[in-house]
Amino acid sequence: MRFRTAVTAGDVAGLVDGELRGTSERLLAGLAAISVAGPGELAFAAGPRVGSLIRATRAGAVLVPSELADLVPADTAGIVVSAPAAAVARVIAAFGANAAEQTWGIHPTAELGRDCRWSGRVRIGAAVSIGPDVQLGADCVVEYGAVIGAGVHIGDRCRIGPHAAVDSGTQLGADVWIRPGARVGGPGFGFVEEDGTPRRVPHLGRCILEDDVEVGANSTVDAGASRDTIIGAGTKIDNLVQIAHNVRIGRGCIIMAQVGIAGSTVVEDGVMLAGQAGLADHLTVGRDSRVASQSGVIGDVPAGSTVSGYPARDHRSVLRQTAAVQRLAPLVSSLERIAKRDES
């Protein structure tokens, strides 16, 4: 990624509150992966087993945690930070070329409904459809092909991605990002049987996303049936996630790809749901708990716990049971040999 203009290693260190080891005057024209970065580029080291990549890098400067700082080559400027990935995000926001290329205004092919209004500047792309009585905050971006229903309220600095849909009555706080193809605020999957035929239950609730929420590509957050669906501030939702009607998710949660949450379930603050976890309806996942990948949650999860498996239960218990089964395998073979001997 190219920067808007060349910056120095000292500029980067000052921005991210890092400790600079090496020359502060090294010019950096962009950002690249540590394995391919050249002398005029900034790289960062994060994750396990990156020591060999740091030693071999040709980058002009590298953002690195303190425990790996001594591995930075002598001709590369080391910028020591506590969280390199977070520092990179700050660098991109400050120096990234996209910030300079942002244009504001309304594309001539966009359709705006009656009494649609906004405060401050906005960017509304090609083939966007916005319904009546929609309110957009300052510095909002609605990208091409997106659809916003009637009466939607969108806070400042929100971004609605290409072909995303925000259904009628939805409310978004500030700094919300709806990524491409996501659907927020549509009616949920609710039916009652009448004369042997499923009849749809009217959905009267709204969908409310608080500040700094992100909804990944092709994910779905349904509106409430009898009460509002609420996603708490700072929660991040990955791609291909399904969140049903009446669900309440707390603040600062991480919900990874292909998670499914059934109706009226409550997920408290700080919860992490790993990929493909499935949560049944009308249960509570306690604060700061962890649900492992592909777990099937059919009962309440205590606060601060880690669960896995199906049905989901204490993770340490699952590991002990798995180890016990592995130890049983040789015993089964021995029993089979004894049985054959007795038969003969």
Side-chain angles (χ1 to χ4, degrees):
M1 187 198 78
R2 303 294 295 178
F3 294 153
R4 297 195 306 273
T5 184
V7 299
T8 67
D11 293 331
V12 174
L15 175 70
V16 300
D17 299 321
E19 176 194 345
L20 180 63
R21 299 185 182 183
T23 176
S24 65
E25 300 305 316
R26 178 66 62 88
L27 285 176
L28 306 170
L31 177 71
I34 192 169
S35 58
V36 298
E41 293 175 306
L42 173 70
F44 74 102
R49 299 181 293 277
V50 295
S52 60
L53 295 176
I54 297 173
R55 292 188 185 94
T57 189
R58 298 176 55 250
V62 58
L63 294 158
V64 64
S66 58
E67 63 270 19
L68 300 177
D70 292 339
L71 303 180
V72 177
D75 56 351
T76 296
I79 302 172
V80 182
V81 292
S82 59
V88 166
R90 294 174 65 179
V91 169
I92 293 173
F95 303 135
N98 289 340
E101 295 167 358
Q102 184 81 290
T103 58
W104 302 98
I106 300 172
H107 195 277
T109 62
E111 297 181 359
L112 305 184
R114 173 182 47 81
D115 294 331
C116 175
R117 57 198 182 278
W118 52 90
S119 57
R121 58 187 182 179
V122 295
R123 188 179 77 184
I124 299 176
V128 166
S129 176
I130 298 180
D133 299 313
V134 170
Q135 181 174 332
L136 298 171
D139 295 341
C140 283
V141 175
V142 184
E143 300 190 65
Y144 61 88
V147 177
I148 299 175
V152 171
H153 286 199
I154 298 177
D156 295 342
R157 299 176 303 280
C158 289
R159 182 172 179 180
I160 312 300
H163 301 294
V166 182
D167 276 41
S168 299
T170 299
Q171 293 191 3
L172 309 184
D175 301 299
V176 172
W177 187 6
I178 310 297
R179 302 192 71 177
R183 181 77 180 256
V184 174
F189 191 76
F191 296 86
V192 295
E193 186 175 324
E194 181 180 323
D195 298 328
T197 301
R199 303 293 184 188
R200 172 166 287 280
V201 175
H203 280 61
L204 307 177
R206 300 169 299 170
C207 183
I208 299 174
L209 275 55
E210 297 179 352
D211 295 349
D212 196 30
V213 167
E214 182 173 326
V215 179
N218 296 322
S219 290
T220 305
V221 185
D222 292 340
S226 57
R227 67 185 190 194
D228 295 337
T229 299
I230 299 176
I231 311 298
T235 286
K236 310 300 181 186
I237 300 169
D238 198 0
N239 303 334
L240 297 170
V241 170
Q242 161 64 21
I243 298 175
H245 56 227
N246 298 349
V247 168
R248 299 204 172 195
I249 295 176
R251 300 168 63 91
C253 296
I254 299 293
I255 302 176
M256 300 181 189
Q258 297 184 12
V259 164
I261 305 176
S264 299
T265 281
V266 175
V267 178
E268 296 182 346
D269 295 350
V271 169
M272 185 183 75
L273 305 177
Q276 296 187 334
L279 279 61
D281 58 295
H282 293 85
L283 55 82
T284 297
V285 179
R287 184 186 183 101
D288 295 326
S289 56
R290 301 289 183 266
V291 178
S293 297
Q294 296 189 329
S295 298
V297 181
I298 59 174
D300 292 347
V301 175
S305 61
T306 299
V307 299
S308 61
Y310 181 85
R313 55 204 184 277
D314 179 73
H315 183 56
R316 289 172 295 183
S317 174
V318 172
L319 293 178
R320 286 195 296 268
Q321 291 174 19
T322 302
V325 170
Q326 290 177 337
R327 289 195 298 270
L328 283 173
L331 296 177
V332 172
S333 299
S334 298
L335 290 172
E336 289 174 341
R337 286 194 299 270
I338 292 171
K340 290 180 181 178
R341 184 185 64 191
D342 289 345
E343 289 174 357
S344 63

